Amino acid sequence: MTRCALPPGIQVLERGWLSANNVLLFDGAEATLVDSGYVSHAAQTVALIRDALDGRRLERLINTHSHSDHIGCNAAVQRAFACRIGVPAGMAEMVEHWDEAALLLSVAAQQGERFRADHLIAAGERLYMGGLEWQALPAPGHDMDALLFHAPDARLLISGDALWRDGFGILFAEVIGSGGGLEGARATLEAIARLPVDRVIPGHGAPFVEVDEALGAAFARLKAFEDDGARMARNAIRACMTFMLLEQRRMDLDTLPAYLAEVPLYREANRRFLGLTPEALAAWLVGELERAGVAVRQGHELHST
């Protein structure tokens, strides 16, 4: 992968699972942060941001979308730095009323700390960050209310989970049955392909310059999901269970079938696309996680590696 040089006013704190990347954009003595990370990483996130600020003031935090690994540290960051928080306009009611189902927290058995949004960001709005003018663009698919941030003069894109170097985020709307995720993802990828973009800062992974290759991989994955919904569901189940194991570190194998039958994401993905008994789903999932090297059985427990 070719090294991606960024403008001097931008610093990316590349995070691993469970947190999304933190993107800091500096304007003199002030800074903007894009996305905060998962709630269990709050202390680490605050420490990383404080070090990167190096005495500058965090004036605002904005989110690309509403998922737990992007908004989970919002409250902690706001407490630590007294910054304003801006969210995509489509998130307004779910954040105001802290709707854990709409935020997918209860749907995927994940956590988040309630926070207050100070302002909303609408598609088409222009923002000044890191010495550049950015346009907020709609990015449905992974999250139907998500936004991209595009700086045309720098040919630079902050893509959230709409485009990674090797694909894109789970299409939750399709997996849980609300619909529109496949069409939204295709529209988003086609919109990105029309933009002047030479560099991408994704929500996960290092910034990259291989934009055409990334789009090719994303379109190929999307076509596979369009052709085979079961493949899309299996991808979602594997990814979310990996996330859970990395957070909890272990899972009782005897209770795994009941857990998969109770948590809405696993239950609905299985019901809509796979049709397995909870026991068969658990057996398949454990085998997949072991083959991927992300988990290992120890007695009656499944442990994250």
Side-chain angles (χ1 to χ4, degrees), residues 225-241:
F225 289 170
E226 290 169 335
D227 292 344
D228 184 0
R231 181 172 180 175
M232 177 177 60
R234 289 191 294 267
N235 169 262
I237 292 169
R238 281 192 302 263
C240 286
M241 182 56 65

Side-chain angles (χ1 to χ4, degrees), residues 56-280:
R56 288 165 288 196
R57 185 171 73 88
L58 185 64
E59 196 274 332
R60 61 182 169 175
L61 159 60
I62 63 176
N63 293 121
T64 56
H65 64 288
S66 66
H67 294 161
S68 63
D69 53 334
H70 294 254
I71 69 167
C73 295
N74 279 18
V77 169
Q78 188 173 59
R79 278 195 301 271
F81 302 105
C83 60
R84 297 182 299 122
I85 295 179
V87 301
M91 288 174 55
E93 289 201 9
M94 64 182 80
V95 170
E96 180 180 358
H97 301 293
W98 201 246
D99 184 340
E100 294 202 352
L103 291 165
L104 299 185
L105 296 172
S106 59
V107 170
Q110 295 174 6
Q111 301 179 65
E113 184 181 357
R114 188 169 188 167
F115 66 92
R116 181 192 75 255
D118 300 294
H119 62 97
L120 305 179
I121 305 169
E125 186 172 334
R126 297 185 181 276
L127 303 89
Y128 189 81
M129 308 183 293
L132 299 169
E133 185 179 73
W134 302 75
Q135 185 174 19
L137 301 172
H142 171 65
D143 182 306
M144 300 306 288
D145 299 309
L147 294 174
L148 305 166
F149 300 106
H150 178 235
D153 291 344
R155 301 179 66 89
L156 180 60
L157 182 72
I158 296 175
S159 63
D161 289 350
L163 179 67
W164 301 335
R165 178 61 183 83
D166 59 353
F168 49 80
I170 295 167
L171 301 182
F172 287 103
E174 293 296 331
V175 173
I176 64 177
S178 52
L182 289 167
E183 296 86 351
R186 181 163 290 280
T188 296
L189 292 175
E190 289 174 349
I192 293 172
R194 292 191 294 269
L195 294 174
V197 174
D198 293 331
R199 298 172 287 183
V200 176
I201 301 173
H204 300 273
F208 60 87
V209 297
E210 298 88 353
V211 182
D212 289 342
E213 293 91 334
L215 283 167
F219 276 117
R221 169 173 282 199
L222 180 60
K223 180 63 163 59
F225 289 170
E226 290 169 335
D227 292 344
D228 184 0
R231 181 172 180 175
M232 177 177 60
R234 289 191 294 267
N235 169 262
I237 292 169
R238 281 192 302 263
C240 286
M241 182 56 65
T242 299
F243 190 99
M244 188 280 289
L245 277 174
L246 286 166
E247 180 184 12
Q248 303 294 332
R249 309 307 299 172
R250 66 184 67 187
M251 178 78 188
D252 186 334
L253 286 168
D254 294 333
T255 64
L256 180 57
Y259 177 81
L260 295 174
E262 291 166 3
V263 174
L265 183 140
Y266 304 114
R267 184 183 67 237
E268 290 305 303
N270 183 38
R271 182 186 67 81
R272 298 187 71 241
F273 295 102
L274 304 178
L276 300 174
T277 65
E279 292 74 19

